[in-house]
Amino acid sequence: MNDFLRGNRQKAPRLAELLRGREPILAPGAYDALTARMIEQAGFPAVYMTGFGTSASLLGRPDVGLLTMSQMVDNARRIAQAVDVPVISDADTGYGNPLNVIRTVQEYELAGVSAIHIEDQVTPKKCGHMENKQIVPAVEMAEKIHAAVEARSSGDFLIIARTDARAVEGLDSALRRARAYREAGADVLFIEAPQNEDEIAQVARAFPSVPLLFNWAEGGKTPPMPLERLKEFGYRIIIFPISTLLTASKAIRAALEEIKAHGTPARLFPDRTAFQEFNEGIGLAEIQQLEKRFATKAGQFAGKPND
């Protein structure tokens, strides 16, 4: 577990190592450092930094390409610093041409994340489960993936190629594009928004020996799938980008409605996290111990002139 004094110097199993394991990697979505810590504390092996949730939390706006690369990287850095488990991060379109992608990879890698996914949408992009998306030519995206692979300083930093072609050109086109991106060097393939179980199975059959990512997005175009079924198909990474965001949003609305209607949130007390429990979860005990430790040592030097 990440602590305040040591930061994230304690190395977690690399995502690449987890990917070679037998079980799928379940990565719930974090939109800030707090949700990332809660995901780690719940025992998940990885955290997914959601672009949808980042846009909602930082701007209060939908995921339609409003965030810059630096804003996304800043959020990724805070999340990566808050946990010891690997972080998979949304990197949108790579924020430009292959030269921009090179800098994008360098910045995310420096931020401490373990993997990013880059998509083949036209900028400004949209959430993968929204309408009216546009995609760039496949050769242009393949060049971005090639640049991303060349730019990373460690082979343990994974490049995930996402295609949004299913909604624009159909599943066959999405599969062709995914093959091209794999040939360009992508470590993991992410075919966004298959629309039924048969399509989910077709994706798996098309890439039997390639790590695949499945996007479990409530209310999106892809139907909810049982974990056991996804394991049978062979999906290796399963992200849940909006589960925490939607759950938190409903709870916050309920609290606000209660205060508005009754003047206090007292009736909600049995359902909320206790104050002490919350403080324990964010590491208050360690901070208090450090205050005592360093306040004592600082007192030894109080009043002494500077050398």
Side-chain angles (χ1 to χ4, degrees), residues 182-213:
R182 175 66 172 179
E183 291 171 2
D187 301 293
V188 180
L189 296 178
F190 176 2
I191 291 82
E192 176 66 299
Q195 296 188 7
N196 52 58
E197 183 171 340
D198 183 61
E199 291 191 357
I200 295 168
Q202 285 185 58
V203 170
R205 288 195 298 268
F207 302 100
S209 60
V210 179
L212 297 174
L213 182 150

Short mmCIF file of all heavy atoms in Angstrom, two decimals, residues 182-213:
data_model
loop_
_atom_site.label_atom_id
_atom_site.label_comp_id
_atom_site.label_asym_id
_atom_site.label_seq_id
_atom_site.Cartn_x
_atom_site.Cartn_y
_atom_site.Cartn_z
N ARG A 182 -1.60 -3.71 -34.57
CA ARG A 182 -0.77 -4.74 -33.96
C ARG A 182 0.53 -4.89 -34.73
O ARG A 182 1.61 -5.01 -34.14
CB ARG A 182 -1.53 -6.07 -33.95
CG ARG A 182 -0.74 -7.26 -33.43
CD ARG A 182 -0.40 -7.12 -31.95
NE ARG A 182 0.19 -8.38 -31.45
CZ ARG A 182 0.61 -8.55 -30.21
NH1 ARG A 182 0.52 -7.56 -29.33
NH2 ARG A 182 1.12 -9.71 -29.83
N GLU A 183 0.45 -4.87 -36.05
CA GLU A 183 1.66 -4.96 -36.87
C GLU A 183 2.57 -3.76 -36.66
O GLU A 183 3.80 -3.87 -36.79
CB GLU A 183 1.28 -5.08 -38.35
CG GLU A 183 0.62 -6.41 -38.71
CD GLU A 183 0.06 -6.43 -40.12
OE1 GLU A 183 0.21 -5.41 -40.83
OE2 GLU A 183 -0.54 -7.46 -40.50
N ALA A 184 1.99 -2.63 -36.29
CA ALA A 184 2.78 -1.42 -36.03
C ALA A 184 3.46 -1.48 -34.66
O ALA A 184 4.29 -0.61 -34.35
CB ALA A 184 1.90 -0.18 -36.12
N GLY A 185 3.10 -2.47 -33.84
CA GLY A 185 3.79 -2.65 -32.57
C GLY A 185 2.96 -2.57 -31.32
O GLY A 185 3.50 -2.66 -30.21
N ALA A 186 1.65 -2.40 -31.43
CA ALA A 186 0.80 -2.30 -30.25
C ALA A 186 0.90 -3.57 -29.41
O ALA A 186 0.88 -4.69 -29.94
CB ALA A 186 -0.65 -2.05 -30.64
N ASP A 187 0.99 -3.40 -28.09
CA ASP A 187 1.08 -4.54 -27.18
C ASP A 187 -0.29 -5.15 -26.90
O ASP A 187 -0.41 -6.36 -26.68
CB ASP A 187 1.69 -4.09 -25.85
CG ASP A 187 3.06 -3.50 -26.02
OD1 ASP A 187 3.99 -4.25 -26.39
OD2 ASP A 187 3.22 -2.28 -25.79
N VAL A 188 -1.32 -4.30 -26.86
CA VAL A 188 -2.69 -4.71 -26.53
C VAL A 188 -3.63 -4.05 -27.52
O VAL A 188 -3.39 -2.91 -27.94
CB VAL A 188 -3.06 -4.29 -25.08
CG1 VAL A 188 -4.48 -4.71 -24.73
CG2 VAL A 188 -2.06 -4.87 -24.08
N LEU A 189 -4.70 -4.75 -27.89
CA LEU A 189 -5.69 -4.19 -28.80
C LEU A 189 -6.99 -3.91 -28.05
O LEU A 189 -7.41 -4.69 -27.19
CB LEU A 189 -5.97 -5.13 -29.96
CG LEU A 189 -4.78 -5.40 -30.90
CD1 LEU A 189 -5.19 -6.38 -31.99
CD2 LEU A 189 -4.24 -4.11 -31.51
N PHE A 190 -7.63 -2.81 -28.42
CA PHE A 190 -8.85 -2.34 -27.76
C PHE A 190 -9.83 -1.98 -28.88
O PHE A 190 -9.73 -0.92 -29.48
CB PHE A 190 -8.48 -1.13 -26.89
CG PHE A 190 -9.62 -0.42 -26.19
CD1 PHE A 190 -10.93 -0.83 -26.28
CD2 PHE A 190 -9.33 0.70 -25.41
CE1 PHE A 190 -11.94 -0.14 -25.62
CE2 PHE A 190 -10.33 1.40 -24.75
CZ PHE A 190 -11.63 0.98 -24.85
N ILE A 191 -10.73 -2.91 -29.21
CA ILE A 191 -11.75 -2.66 -30.22
C ILE A 191 -12.96 -2.11 -29.48
O ILE A 191 -13.67 -2.84 -28.77
CB ILE A 191 -12.11 -3.94 -31.02
CG1 ILE A 191 -10.93 -4.35 -31.92
CG2 ILE A 191 -13.33 -3.69 -31.89
CD1 ILE A 191 -9.85 -5.13 -31.26
N GLU A 192 -13.20 -0.83 -29.63
CA GLU A 192 -14.22 -0.14 -28.85
C GLU A 192 -15.63 -0.40 -29.37
O GLU A 192 -15.88 -0.46 -30.57
CB GLU A 192 -13.93 1.38 -28.87
CG GLU A 192 -14.96 2.25 -28.18
CD GLU A 192 -15.02 2.05 -26.67
OE1 GLU A 192 -15.33 0.91 -26.25
OE2 GLU A 192 -14.80 3.02 -25.93
N ALA A 193 -16.52 -0.60 -28.42
CA ALA A 193 -17.97 -0.62 -28.61
C ALA A 193 -18.51 -1.68 -29.56
O ALA A 193 -19.35 -1.39 -30.42
CB ALA A 193 -18.45 0.77 -29.06
N PRO A 194 -18.10 -2.96 -29.41
CA PRO A 194 -18.85 -4.02 -30.10
C PRO A 194 -20.28 -4.02 -29.56
O PRO A 194 -20.50 -3.74 -28.38
CB PRO A 194 -18.09 -5.30 -29.73
CG PRO A 194 -17.35 -4.95 -28.47
CD PRO A 194 -17.02 -3.51 -28.57
N GLN A 195 -21.25 -4.33 -30.42
CA GLN A 195 -22.63 -4.04 -30.06
C GLN A 195 -23.45 -5.23 -29.60
O GLN A 195 -24.62 -5.08 -29.23
CB GLN A 195 -23.31 -3.34 -31.24
CG GLN A 195 -22.67 -1.99 -31.53
CD GLN A 195 -23.43 -1.17 -32.56
OE1 GLN A 195 -24.52 -1.55 -33.00
NE2 GLN A 195 -22.88 -0.04 -32.95
N ASN A 196 -22.87 -6.43 -29.58
CA ASN A 196 -23.58 -7.59 -29.05
C ASN A 196 -22.56 -8.68 -28.72
O ASN A 196 -21.37 -8.55 -29.03
CB ASN A 196 -24.64 -8.10 -30.04
CG ASN A 196 -24.06 -8.33 -31.43
OD1 ASN A 196 -23.12 -9.11 -31.58
ND2 ASN A 196 -24.62 -7.67 -32.43
N GLU A 197 -23.05 -9.75 -28.12
CA GLU A 197 -22.13 -10.81 -27.69
C GLU A 197 -21.44 -11.48 -28.87
O GLU A 197 -20.28 -11.87 -28.78
CB GLU A 197 -22.88 -11.85 -26.85
CG GLU A 197 -21.97 -12.94 -26.30
CD GLU A 197 -22.65 -13.85 -25.32
OE1 GLU A 197 -23.70 -13.46 -24.76
OE2 GLU A 197 -22.13 -14.96 -25.10
N ASP A 198 -22.14 -11.61 -29.96
CA ASP A 198 -21.52 -12.22 -31.14
C ASP A 198 -20.33 -11.39 -31.62
O ASP A 198 -19.29 -11.95 -31.98
CB ASP A 198 -22.54 -12.37 -32.26
CG ASP A 198 -21.95 -13.06 -33.47
OD1 ASP A 198 -21.52 -14.22 -33.34
OD2 ASP A 198 -21.90 -12.44 -34.55
N GLU A 199 -20.46 -10.08 -31.62
CA GLU A 199 -19.34 -9.23 -32.03
C GLU A 199 -18.18 -9.33 -31.05
O GLU A 199 -17.01 -9.32 -31.44
CB GLU A 199 -19.81 -7.79 -32.19
CG GLU A 199 -20.73 -7.58 -33.37
CD GLU A 199 -20.99 -6.11 -33.67
OE1 GLU A 199 -20.50 -5.23 -32.92
OE2 GLU A 199 -21.69 -5.84 -34.67
N ILE A 200 -18.50 -9.40 -29.76
CA ILE A 200 -17.46 -9.56 -28.74
C ILE A 200 -16.69 -10.85 -29.00
O ILE A 200 -15.45 -10.90 -28.91
CB ILE A 200 -18.09 -9.56 -27.34
CG1 ILE A 200 -18.71 -8.19 -27.05
CG2 ILE A 200 -17.05 -9.91 -26.27
CD1 ILE A 200 -19.61 -8.17 -25.82
N ALA A 201 -17.42 -11.91 -29.36
CA ALA A 201 -16.78 -13.19 -29.65
C ALA A 201 -15.97 -13.12 -30.94
O ALA A 201 -14.88 -13.71 -31.03
CB ALA A 201 -17.85 -14.28 -29.75
N GLN A 202 -16.48 -12.40 -31.95
CA GLN A 202 -15.74 -12.27 -33.21
C GLN A 202 -14.40 -11.59 -32.99
O GLN A 202 -13.38 -11.98 -33.59
CB GLN A 202 -16.57 -11.47 -34.21
CG GLN A 202 -17.73 -12.20 -34.84
CD GLN A 202 -18.41 -11.36 -35.91
OE1 GLN A 202 -17.77 -10.94 -36.88
NE2 GLN A 202 -19.69 -11.09 -35.71
N VAL A 203 -14.39 -10.57 -32.16
CA VAL A 203 -13.13 -9.88 -31.85
C VAL A 203 -12.14 -10.87 -31.24
O VAL A 203 -10.96 -10.93 -31.62
CB VAL A 203 -13.38 -8.69 -30.91
CG1 VAL A 203 -12.05 -8.13 -30.40
CG2 VAL A 203 -14.19 -7.61 -31.60
N ALA A 204 -12.61 -11.65 -30.29
CA ALA A 204 -11.73 -12.62 -29.62
C ALA A 204 -11.21 -13.67 -30.61
O ALA A 204 -10.03 -14.05 -30.56
CB ALA A 204 -12.47 -13.27 -28.47
N ARG A 205 -12.08 -14.15 -31.49
CA ARG A 205 -11.65 -15.16 -32.47
C ARG A 205 -10.64 -14.59 -33.46
O ARG A 205 -9.76 -15.31 -33.95
CB ARG A 205 -12.86 -15.72 -33.21
CG ARG A 205 -13.74 -16.64 -32.37
CD ARG A 205 -14.68 -17.44 -33.25
NE ARG A 205 -15.60 -16.58 -34.00
CZ ARG A 205 -16.80 -16.22 -33.59
NH1 ARG A 205 -17.25 -16.64 -32.40
NH2 ARG A 205 -17.58 -15.46 -34.33
N ALA A 206 -10.76 -13.32 -33.76
CA ALA A 206 -9.86 -12.69 -34.73
C ALA A 206 -8.45 -12.53 -34.19
O ALA A 206 -7.49 -12.47 -34.96
CB ALA A 206 -10.42 -11.33 -35.16
N PHE A 207 -8.32 -12.48 -32.85
CA PHE A 207 -7.01 -12.25 -32.24
C PHE A 207 -6.78 -13.24 -31.10
O PHE A 207 -6.68 -12.85 -29.94
CB PHE A 207 -6.91 -10.81 -31.74
CG PHE A 207 -7.12 -9.77 -32.80
CD1 PHE A 207 -8.35 -9.13 -32.93
CD2 PHE A 207 -6.10 -9.47 -33.69
CE1 PHE A 207 -8.55 -8.18 -33.92
CE2 PHE A 207 -6.30 -8.52 -34.69
CZ PHE A 207 -7.52 -7.87 -34.81
N PRO A 208 -6.66 -14.52 -31.43
CA PRO A 208 -6.58 -15.54 -30.38
C PRO A 208 -5.31 -15.47 -29.53
O PRO A 208 -5.30 -15.94 -28.40
CB PRO A 208 -6.66 -16.85 -31.16
CG PRO A 208 -6.15 -16.51 -32.54
CD PRO A 208 -6.63 -15.12 -32.79
N SER A 209 -4.24 -14.90 -30.06
CA SER A 209 -2.97 -14.87 -29.34
C SER A 209 -2.53 -13.46 -28.99
O SER A 209 -1.37 -13.25 -28.64
CB SER A 209 -1.88 -15.58 -30.16
OG SER A 209 -1.71 -14.93 -31.41
N VAL A 210 -3.45 -12.51 -29.08
CA VAL A 210 -3.12 -11.10 -28.81
C VAL A 210 -3.86 -10.65 -27.56
O VAL A 210 -5.06 -10.90 -27.42
CB VAL A 210 -3.52 -10.21 -30.01
CG1 VAL A 210 -3.20 -8.75 -29.71
CG2 VAL A 210 -2.83 -10.67 -31.28
N PRO A 211 -3.20 -9.96 -26.62
CA PRO A 211 -3.91 -9.43 -25.44
C PRO A 211 -4.99 -8.44 -25.87
O PRO A 211 -4.71 -7.51 -26.65
CB PRO A 211 -2.81 -8.75 -24.63
CG PRO A 211 -1.54 -9.38 -25.09
CD PRO A 211 -1.75 -9.71 -26.54
N LEU A 212 -6.20 -8.64 -25.38
CA LEU A 212 -7.32 -7.78 -25.73
C LEU A 212 -7.86 -7.08 -24.50
O LEU A 212 -7.90 -7.65 -23.40
CB LEU A 212 -8.45 -8.60 -26.36
CG LEU A 212 -8.16 -9.30 -27.69
CD1 LEU A 212 -9.33 -10.18 -28.09
CD2 LEU A 212 -7.85 -8.28 -28.78
N LEU A 213 -8.31 -5.85 -24.67
CA LEU A 213 -8.94 -5.07 -23.60
C LEU A 213 -10.43 -4.98 -23.87
O LEU A 213 -10.85 -4.72 -25.00
CB LEU A 213 -8.31 -3.68 -23.53
CG LEU A 213 -8.80 -2.73 -22.43
CD1 LEU A 213 -7.67 -1.78 -22.00
CD2 LEU A 213 -10.01 -1.91 -22.88
#
